[in-house]
Amino acid sequence: MDFTVFCQQFLNGISTGSAYAIFALGYTLVFSILGIINFAHGAVFTLGAYFTYSLMGQAFGFNGLLANAKLPFQLNFPIALLFGSILAGLVSVAIERIAFRPLRMKNADPLLTLVSSLGVAIVIVNAIQYLVGSESYTFPDNIYDGVYGKLPAAINFGTEAKPIFVRTAQMVVFGVSGIMLTGLTYLINYTKLGKALRAVAENATTASLLGINTDFFILFTFFVSGFLAGVAGTLLGTSVGIPGPYFGVSYGLKGLAVIVLGGLGSIPGAV
């Protein structure tokens, strides 16, 4: 194989793997605290992309209840990404209240929680399809000088004779993945909040007896997980578009494979 082709494919693999890593971090967080897999995570991932798309003032397609609808304002990409991810985090919190907490209060079998999260995922995906249809959407290239501002569309890591181009969107995903890993590692290992989270993960009952509000920290975990899913969904949406309501399904399966290979509950392992 030509060395240039090898380098091109290697860099493409790194950027794609970074997207899976951001997605898998949300999976890992919930599993490390509750010891369960949240199958609704893929649906939240999809919602994050749709939220950011709509906050940028873009109109939906001609199918669905919200056909041709759009918000009366538009935000530039970084702000839309922030608020879209926050909305995804709040949806994740609502999922915890609806699908996880009632079963947790009854000490239900973990398998029931798994099935419950899968049911929520199906509801969310079908709700998206009902509201905005199954059309694919692409983020605009010309709004506010492009999604990524005045950055070039691709970066050449080779020479003029043997170019090795990597799209800017892919580099942004890679950079955000590193920032997320560093931030989460610091949060969990070097802050009081992180120590409380680890205590809840070790034994929620004992942590509660020691005065830790376990319910708050579980909600916080779901919010961060949903926020990460929203960021991952949006960044991948800018790279490959939003192919439809089932956008997060394939990434959910691959993200699950990532956390299994990296070690369930291990944040560095997910990356």
Side-chain angles (χ1 to χ4, degrees), residues 3-259:
F3 182 71
T4 303
V5 175
F6 171 79
C7 290
Q8 179 77 66
Q9 296 304 318
F10 177 77
L11 290 173
N12 287 339
I14 289 291
S15 60
T16 303
S18 299
Y20 295 148
I22 299 175
F23 185 83
L25 284 173
Y27 261 144
T28 299
L29 271 178
V30 172
F31 185 86
S32 64
I33 299 299
L34 296 179
I36 55 175
I37 299 294
N38 178 17
F39 277 121
H41 194 62
V44 177
F45 168 93
T46 305
L47 277 175
Y50 277 102
F51 283 147
T52 304
Y53 177 85
S54 62
L55 287 170
M56 292 183 70
Q58 302 304 298
F60 291 114
F62 52 84
N63 287 321
L65 189 64
L66 300 179
N68 301 314
K70 68 176 183 177
L71 295 175
F73 60 88
Q74 57 183 22
L75 304 176
N76 59 29
F77 178 70
I79 298 175
L81 171 62
L82 175 63
F83 282 101
S85 300
I86 290 174
L87 288 173
L90 293 176
V91 170
S92 187
V93 168
I95 290 172
E96 195 281 330
R97 295 283 92 173
I98 296 169
F100 289 93
R101 190 173 186 273
L103 295 174
R104 192 173 68 250
M105 293 295 100
K106 296 179 180 179
N107 293 317
D109 190 288
L111 183 61
L112 293 178
T113 308
L114 203 81
V115 174
S116 179
S117 68
L118 184 59
V120 172
I122 293 172
V123 169
I124 292 176
V125 167
N126 282 277
I128 294 173
Q129 188 169 0
Y130 176 71
L131 291 173
V132 300
S134 300
E135 294 97 331
S136 60
Y137 297 94
T138 57
F139 283 84
D141 290 327
N142 55 357
I143 187 170
Y144 299 110
D145 295 320
V147 167
Y148 291 114
K150 297 182 182 297
L151 295 176
I155 301 172
N156 184 9
F157 285 88
T159 62
E160 290 187 6
K162 292 186 176 181
I164 303 174
F165 287 105
V166 178
R167 295 169 59 204
T168 301
Q170 293 176 309
M171 294 303 299
V172 170
V173 171
F174 177 72
V176 171
S177 175
I179 293 171
M180 293 292 183
L181 170 64
T182 304
L184 281 175
T185 301
Y186 179 80
L187 173 70
I188 290 176
N189 293 324
Y190 301 104
T191 66
K192 290 183 178 180
L193 185 64
K195 290 179 180 178
L197 282 171
R198 282 184 286 149
V200 173
E202 184 69 28
N203 191 309
T205 303
T206 304
S208 179
L209 291 173
L210 292 173
I212 296 174
N213 187 344
T214 57
D215 196 50
F216 166 79
F217 284 103
I218 289 172
L219 284 177
F220 177 78
T221 300
F222 270 86
F223 176 80
V224 174
S225 173
F227 183 89
L228 291 174
V231 170
T234 297
L235 293 179
L236 277 168
T238 63
S239 179
V240 301
I242 307 173
Y246 295 92
F247 179 36
V249 173
S250 62
Y251 286 100
L253 295 174
K254 293 172 183 176
L256 183 59
V258 166
I259 67 169

